[in-house]
Amino acid sequence: MNAEGSADLEQLVFTEEPEGTDEPRVHAAWLPPEAFRALGARRVLVHGQGMLVDTVLDEVSRACARYGGRVWHSPSWDVDVDVVLALRGAGELPNPAVEAARAAGEAALVEIGDGETLGDEGFLLARAGEVTVVLADAPAGLLYGLFHVVRLCAAAYDPARPPERHRPALRRRMLNHWDNVAVHPVMGQVERGYAGGSIFWRDGRPRGDLARIREYGRLLAASGVNAISVNNVNVGRTEALLLTDRLGDIAEIADVLRPYGIRVHLSVTFAAPVVLGGLSTADPMDEAVRAWWAATTRNVYERIPDFGGYVVKADSEGQPGPFTYGRDHADGANVLAEALAPHGGVVHWRAFVYNHHQDWRDRSTDRARAAYDHFTPLDGRFRANVVVQVKFGPVDFQTREPVSPVLAAMPATRLAVELQVTQEYTGQQRHVCHLGPWWGEVLRFEPWGPGGRTIADVATGVAESGGGLVAVANTGDDLFWTGHPLAQANLYTFGRLAWDPRLDPTAILDEWISLTFPPSATADPELVGRTLHEILDDSWRTYERYTAPLGVGFMVHPGDHYGPGIDGYEYTRWGTYHFADRDGVGVDRSRASGTGFAAQYPPYWAQVYESPESCPDELLLFFHHVPYEHVLHSGSTVIQHIYDTHFTGVEEVAVMRRRWQTLNGMIDPAVYERVAERLDEQVRSATEWRDQVNAYFFRKSGVPDERGRTIY
Ligand code: GCV
């Protein structure tokens, strides 16, 4: 080994900690320095060239500087190493041991990989004698491989560890930020944002904290996310300009996120040719409109060569769209897709289209039906680079709703499943509500019946033809990124499920816990790990218990959607009703006597949902209006179920709070305090939910609680 040479090179590749800014230091989330201890204490060789290889080098260098390890970048002399991170195509090194390790990795790949390559983002991890080897075909793969090693911690160096090949199941793993550039008079800086301001924008301008954006990119890459849209799908006047006059603001963000393999997308207004281009129409069939989109998009790519594409909310909740010109959504999406195609970009066209000016007296209109009615007739008409982005449920990110039937009804269209990490209807990051188990249920759902393809399969598609997984982000300029520190788990879980929707959400939760609260930095790792798991794991079901019952949804306070508002939307234009009266509750969506929504499913589920007898309890009130005395499969009546779950839900929150208190003094006091304060609010709010829901149904039905508990 050339000791002198290596010392020089180490100095070259060690980087300083990121420069301090005026902003307060932010929480390290799932990448605390401690998570890098096992790697940083070793001798690491990085081999290959490219921007993302430099990122790997930078990460490893910082870890080694902190924990006493060493790092070399493609050294031209012999060195002793514990870890090799190498691009497969990088030339041979004058180091027999390293080459032997690489050869062992190659052999392992042949054995487990059926001769397939690792692709743009995949990697292989293998043990070769005393060495841990990560091989990748492309720099992004090396970066994901590095984060995998970090996640595995000591297990990455287990001599008995068999080789593993990893490739993301989904090509695009995307977060949509609903961040406004200019503060919206009602929605603020971030629409449905519960984590402070935006990390991108402040008061009409870029926020300018590029170090924070870089840090964000790093966290996202470590979870698996590789695409992000940086402005709200409701595009206002200022935001529209990002496509043209203010493209530089987007280019700046793209430059910062690129080293972490994240491509930037932009939400655009369908009316852009009019509001930006000065044309008299945005009709997608108009030649001047098509030419405008083509020229504007060309300009975007000149500035941002790896630009991801557009996200569009059209003809929805007041946003402009093709209906104005008598055109349909395929016409609208295709004109943007045509402009993006020569550059490799995609349009994410949202299927969240419904009439938000409904008359509550009109029982024939059903918001749940709308996306299917609008979009399924268009199957096969979208260009190949259009992804129709479908909310996971037919209504709007409720705590419980059935999986959207659109996802089973457009076989000739690329479909993305849209989730909501921001907790608009699930406690707004004031309540602990870990959504992993809910998303897991959605992704494992088999819309064609037991044993058939799943929603994960739809998002994946055949030969990567699926549209991927998208989620509305829950991050902001908050010290903990997500307002509630435990809501970080939702963001992490989304990224991991987007990498592989078949992963077990419970295992992901434990992964997040041990990264964020590293056992080596905790006095009682068993207690901390177990307590966090107990608090989070079932918290979505707890939340469901004390809020709207049996899938009926939307009993939230109007406007801000926080806290109970049982009749809040009952007589409004938004199409979200529960129809409770003195005899019963729920929405009849059967084919026989209701809105016919149940018939939008393939036969197996259409039949299951059609009758109250076969409909699963948790969705009963979504599909049926039933008497309060209706007996559930659980054996309880609907009314008693409402009372019982609401009392239980509040008790469970009280237990959560007590469990959290056992961690006092064991973890970072700032995290402890923030969570403690939010749990106080959760207990208060859950109690309010319980009492309002129970009182409401007691007063409507007149049926007392069979256990005689206090109902007001
Ligand atoms: C961005 C819900 C939210 C809106 C959101 C909309 C959407 O209706 O309340 O704030 O708008 O969904 O998904 O477009």
Side-chain angles (χ1 to χ4, degrees):
M1 181 174 89
N2 178 337
E4 273 182 29
S6 69
D8 284 344
L9 202 85
E10 278 169 42
Q11 285 209 328
L12 264 181
V13 296
F14 282 141
T15 53
E16 297 294 310
E17 288 288 325
E19 300 245 319
T21 66
D22 293 342
E23 311 272 336
R25 270 191 68 80
V26 293
H27 187 248
W30 50 87
L31 290 181
E34 188 66 23
F36 288 78
R37 179 182 288 275
L39 177 71
R42 287 183 159 78
R43 298 165 300 179
V44 187
L45 185 147
V46 178
H47 186 34
Q49 301 296 331
M51 181 189 281
L52 274 70
V53 177
D54 292 343
T55 307
V56 170
L57 207 48
D58 178 47
E59 289 286 344
V60 177
S61 302
R62 281 198 277 158
C64 290
R66 187 180 287 269
Y67 294 110
R70 305 185 77 170
V71 57
W72 295 272
H73 184 201
S74 306
S76 56
W77 60 93
D78 203 4
V79 290
D80 290 332
V81 295
D82 307 305
V83 182
V84 173
L85 294 149
L87 286 185
R88 292 175 72 206
E92 217 171 284
L93 290 175
N95 183 329
V98 168
E99 286 306 323
R102 285 175 72 187
E106 290 292 343
L109 184 58
V110 171
E111 210 168 291
I112 62 171
D114 311 324
E116 275 186 38
T117 63
L118 293 163
D120 291 350
E121 300 184 304
F123 61 91
L124 171 100
L125 176 100
R127 286 286 293 176
E130 298 290 292
V131 179
T132 294
V133 192
V134 175
L135 296 180
D137 284 339
L142 212 56
L143 183 64
Y144 291 122
L146 165 76
F147 286 127
H148 185 64
V149 167
V150 170
R151 246 187 330 261
L152 289 176
C153 202
Y157 314 100
D158 177 353
R161 192 167 186 90
E164 305 159 29
R165 189 188 61 148
H166 295 267
R167 287 178 66 158
L170 304 181
R171 196 161 183 76
R172 196 164 309 99
R173 310 176 294 277
M174 187 189 208
L175 278 177
N176 288 169
H177 275 259
W178 287 354
D179 296 18
N180 297 315
V181 179
V183 176
H184 185 276
V186 179
M187 292 298 171
Q189 190 79 70
V190 181
E191 179 151 347
R192 310 304 180 190
Y194 313 106
S198 165
I199 54 177
F200 302 112
W201 317 105
R202 180 154 60 192
D203 294 334
R205 312 287 330 151
R207 188 185 174 109
D209 184 358
L210 300 182
R212 177 109 194 221
I213 297 175
R214 186 181 164 95
E215 198 54 30
Y216 187 45
R218 184 172 175 255
L219 285 172
L220 295 187
S223 76
V225 168
N226 69 351
I228 186 169
S229 65
V230 293
N231 65 304
N232 193 353
V233 288
N234 291 332
V235 182
R237 249 172 203 294
T238 314
E239 291 73 19
L241 292 167
L242 295 172
L243 179 60
T244 52
D245 305 34
R246 295 185 60 172
L247 186 58
D249 297 347
I250 300 298
E252 190 174 56
I253 296 172
D255 287 346
V256 176
L257 293 177
R258 189 169 295 116
Y260 282 96
I262 294 168
R263 292 173 78 171
V264 167
H265 297 237
L266 188 65
S267 297
V268 295
T269 168
F270 189 75
V274 177
V275 297
L276 300 173
L279 302 187
S280 59
T281 178
D283 182 350
M285 296 307 185
D286 186 289
E287 274 313 314
V289 169
R290 294 172 68 171
W292 186 87
W293 277 112
T296 303
T297 305
R298 202 176 314 119
N299 196 37
V300 172
Y301 279 89
E302 267 166 26
R303 203 72 190 273
I304 312 170
D306 59 351
F307 178 69
Y310 301 136
V311 179
V312 186
K313 172 176 177 177
D315 290 315
S316 169
E317 298 185 335
Q319 292 297 303
F323 288 167
T324 309
Y325 309 100
R327 313 295 182 189
D328 61 33
H329 283 273
D331 300 328
N334 286 344
V335 71
L336 275 69
E338 185 183 65
L340 287 157
H343 314 283
V346 288
V347 189
H348 275 242
W349 190 271
R350 297 179 81 227
F352 182 61
V353 176
Y354 69 101
N355 173 10
H356 69 293
H357 286 284
Q358 250 176 260
D359 182 345
W360 57 269
R361 299 165 195 84
D362 168 17
R363 290 228 176 181
S364 66
T365 311
D366 179 8
R367 171 168 167 176
R369 290 189 57 113
Y372 183 103
D373 289 342
H374 284 299
F375 280 85
T376 57
L378 307 178
D379 189 32
R381 285 205 29 230
F382 292 97
R383 290 183 64 115
N385 61 330
V386 175
V387 170
V388 173
Q389 186 170 311
V390 184
K391 284 192 183 184
F392 74 81
V395 179
D396 195 11
F397 302 131
Q398 298 301 288
T399 313
R400 177 78 75 170
E401 53 180 305
V403 169
S404 170
V406 177
L407 293 167
M410 299 188 70
T413 305
R414 295 174 72 192
L415 297 177
V417 181
E418 184 178 313
L419 306 172
Q420 196 184 43
V421 190
T422 195
Q423 293 171 235
E424 176 176 359
Y425 299 100
T426 49
Q428 305 198 346
Q429 282 131 257
R430 288 188 246 180
H431 297 218
V432 180
C433 183
H434 180 51
L435 293 164
W438 181 205
W439 298 335
E441 275 192 25
V442 169
L443 293 166
R444 283 192 304 272
F445 180 70
E446 297 160 336
W448 293 275
R453 293 171 67 224
T454 63
I455 295 299
D457 295 332
V458 173
T460 308
V462 178
E464 297 188 330
S465 62
L469 213 57
V470 182
V472 185
N474 66 345
T475 29
D477 69 358
D478 167 61
L479 186 64
F480 296 99
W481 296 97
T482 52
H484 200 308
L486 302 186
Q488 288 174 8
N490 282 331
L491 185 61
Y492 182 79
T493 301
F494 166 72
R496 297 286 288 134
L497 285 175
W499 177 274
D500 183 356
R502 295 168 191 93
L503 290 177
D504 171 12
T506 307
I508 299 176
L509 174 62
D510 288 335
E511 203 175 274
W512 174 80
I513 291 172
S514 56
L515 281 169
T516 308
F517 300 86
S520 53
T522 308
D524 190 341
E526 198 280 325
L527 174 75
V528 172
R530 178 168 38 85
T531 306
L532 282 159
H533 185 101
E534 285 167 349
I535 289 173
L536 281 152
D537 193 32
D538 208 34
S539 54
W540 157 63
R541 289 194 183 81
T542 293
Y543 186 83
E544 179 183 31
R545 285 182 192 111
Y546 62 78
T547 54
L550 297 166
V552 73
F554 253 103
M555 290 185 171
V556 288
H557 185 261
D560 64 11
H561 297 171
Y562 185 72
I566 294 128
D567 275 343
Y569 279 99
E570 200 56 16
Y571 308 102
T572 67
R573 60 192 171 92
W574 297 93
T576 50
Y577 314 117
H578 56 68
F579 299 123
D581 57 25
R582 66 177 184 175
D583 300 318
V585 55
V587 190
D588 185 353
R589 293 189 162 109
S590 67
R591 180 209 288 267
S593 53
T595 69
F597 168 75
Q600 291 184 337
Y601 287 85
Y604 177 86
W605 287 106
Q607 203 182 337
V608 168
Y609 292 146
E610 178 66 14
S611 111
E613 275 60 53
S614 49
C615 184
D617 285 353
E618 67 273 14
L619 289 171
L620 182 67
L621 302 184
F622 191 93
F623 283 102
H624 298 282
H625 186 90
V626 296
Y628 292 113
E629 302 292 358
H630 174 92
V631 179
L632 298 167
H633 297 116
S634 69
S636 183
T637 61
V638 165
I639 189 72
Q640 194 56 40
H641 173 93
I642 293 175
Y643 298 149
D644 288 346
T645 50
H646 283 76
F647 283 111
T648 305
V650 174
E651 282 158 22
E652 287 171 353
V653 179
V655 171
M656 265 182 203
R657 182 165 63 174
R658 280 204 296 282
R659 285 195 165 127
W660 183 254
Q661 285 159 354
T662 65
L663 298 186
N664 197 359
M666 299 264 187
I667 57 170
D668 178 351
V671 174
Y672 179 82
E673 286 307 328
R674 176 70 74 88
V675 174
E677 162 208 308
R678 301 223 161 189
L679 280 166
D680 288 345
E681 164 57 16
Q682 187 168 359
V683 171
R684 185 207 64 76
S685 174
T687 306
E688 198 58 34
W689 268 101
R690 178 196 67 193
D691 291 341
Q692 288 203 27
V693 171
N694 283 349
Y696 180 93
F697 284 104
F698 174 59
R699 291 176 192 183
K700 280 267 178 205
S701 69
V703 180
D705 171 30
E706 64 186 25
R707 293 177 55 193
R709 291 162 292 194
T710 305
I711 294 180
Y712 299 88

